[in-house]
Amino acid sequence: MRLFLIYSCIAIPVWVAQFALYFFLRRAGRMKESLAAKCAGSFLAVGSAALGMAFSHEGPGTPWVFWFFVLCTIADALLEISFVPGMLVFGAGHVCLILWLWGLATPSWWSLALWVAVYVLTAILFRKELPTLGKLTAPFLLYPALLGGSLALGLPLVFLLGWEWWPVALGTLLFYISDMLVAKNQLAHWDDKWQKPIMALYWGALYLISVGLWVI
């Protein structure tokens, strides 16, 4: 718990500062600098994962979550250049996250049921957009499957391993919500005002998942 508090007292203010810097630079039209600020914010999770592994006693599967954060940082840059490659890299990141979560606790039938429910929910949320995707249909169907897998494995951790895993469980939920908003924003062309809550949810997810390497 002490490491968790020390980590949070350092990480949260830095993330908030990066958040403010990112949107300040975007508003000023300095897009290259804002991209650097965005990736620097995500890279905080990479550093925290590396330090968390140094202090933790997790099993050999722990490095998978480190590579999850690395791929998320790379995907953040790619999304600003080309949406589909960015989402594919995010998908690879979720494969790493799934492997880490799978190693923490053996999935149950409840996990499978939750995965199916999340996938059906995603199909309902995007029922209007699905017929218009064309060549993007295949990657769009694949990514929610991976994202739902992370959520289905993450949420039950509080019941399988104990309530101290609530940050990871909540982090996978925030990641799902954030990415669903990103997809809706991309396909429905929402107002720019949604960018701040989406980014807050995304970085909140990275912070909470990284906490899983500090509280145990």
Side-chain angles (χ1 to χ4, degrees):
M1 180 60 72
R2 181 183 177 186
L3 285 176
F4 163 65
L5 292 175
I6 294 174
Y7 165 62
S8 298
C9 288
I10 296 173
I12 292 177
V14 176
W15 246 307
V16 171
Q18 289 295 131
F19 182 89
L21 178 61
Y22 170 65
F23 284 102
F24 170 78
L25 292 171
R26 284 184 66 89
R27 189 166 58 248
R30 300 170 64 178
M31 304 309 292
K32 291 182 179 180
E33 291 85 349
S34 71
L35 178 57
K38 179 183 180 183
C39 293
S42 301
F43 192 75
L44 289 172
V46 178
S48 68
L51 290 173
M53 285 191 295
F55 285 102
S56 73
H57 300 286
E58 293 298 320
T62 301
W64 283 118
V65 72
F66 170 80
W67 291 111
F68 161 70
F69 291 128
V70 171
L71 290 171
C72 284
T73 304
I74 296 172
D76 280 339
L78 282 177
L79 276 179
E80 301 286 335
I81 302 170
S82 182
F83 183 77
V84 174
M87 295 307 294
L88 290 175
V89 175
F90 264 125
H94 278 286
V95 171
C96 294
L97 182 60
I98 287 171
L99 290 171
W100 178 58
L101 294 171
W102 195 298
L104 293 175
T106 303
S108 66
W109 287 106
W110 287 106
S111 298
L112 178 60
L114 181 58
W115 178 81
V116 172
V118 170
Y119 204 66
V120 171
L121 175 61
T122 304
I124 294 173
L125 290 174
F126 290 91
R127 62 188 182 279
K128 294 181 180 180
E129 291 82 5
L130 282 172
T132 68
L133 292 176
K135 295 180 179 180
L136 296 179
T137 302
F140 188 88
L141 293 176
L142 175 61
Y143 186 76
L146 296 171
L147 186 63
S150 301
L151 181 59
L153 292 172
L155 280 182
L157 288 181
V158 293
F159 304 104
L160 298 173
L161 299 180
W163 284 102
E164 63 268 23
W165 285 91
W166 70 265
V168 177
L170 180 58
T172 58
L173 177 60
L174 293 186
F175 213 121
Y176 172 80
I177 296 172
S178 171
D179 276 12
M180 290 300 98
L181 291 176
V182 167
K184 271 289 187 181
N185 181 42
Q186 180 71 18
L187 297 174
H189 306 290
W190 285 352
D191 192 270
D192 287 345
K193 67 181 181 181
W194 285 95
Q195 291 180 349
K196 289 182 180 179
I198 289 173
M199 184 63 71
L201 287 168
Y202 169 58
W203 277 355
L206 293 185
Y207 160 71
L208 288 168
I209 294 172
S210 68
V211 163
L213 294 173
W214 290 83
V215 298
I216 305 303

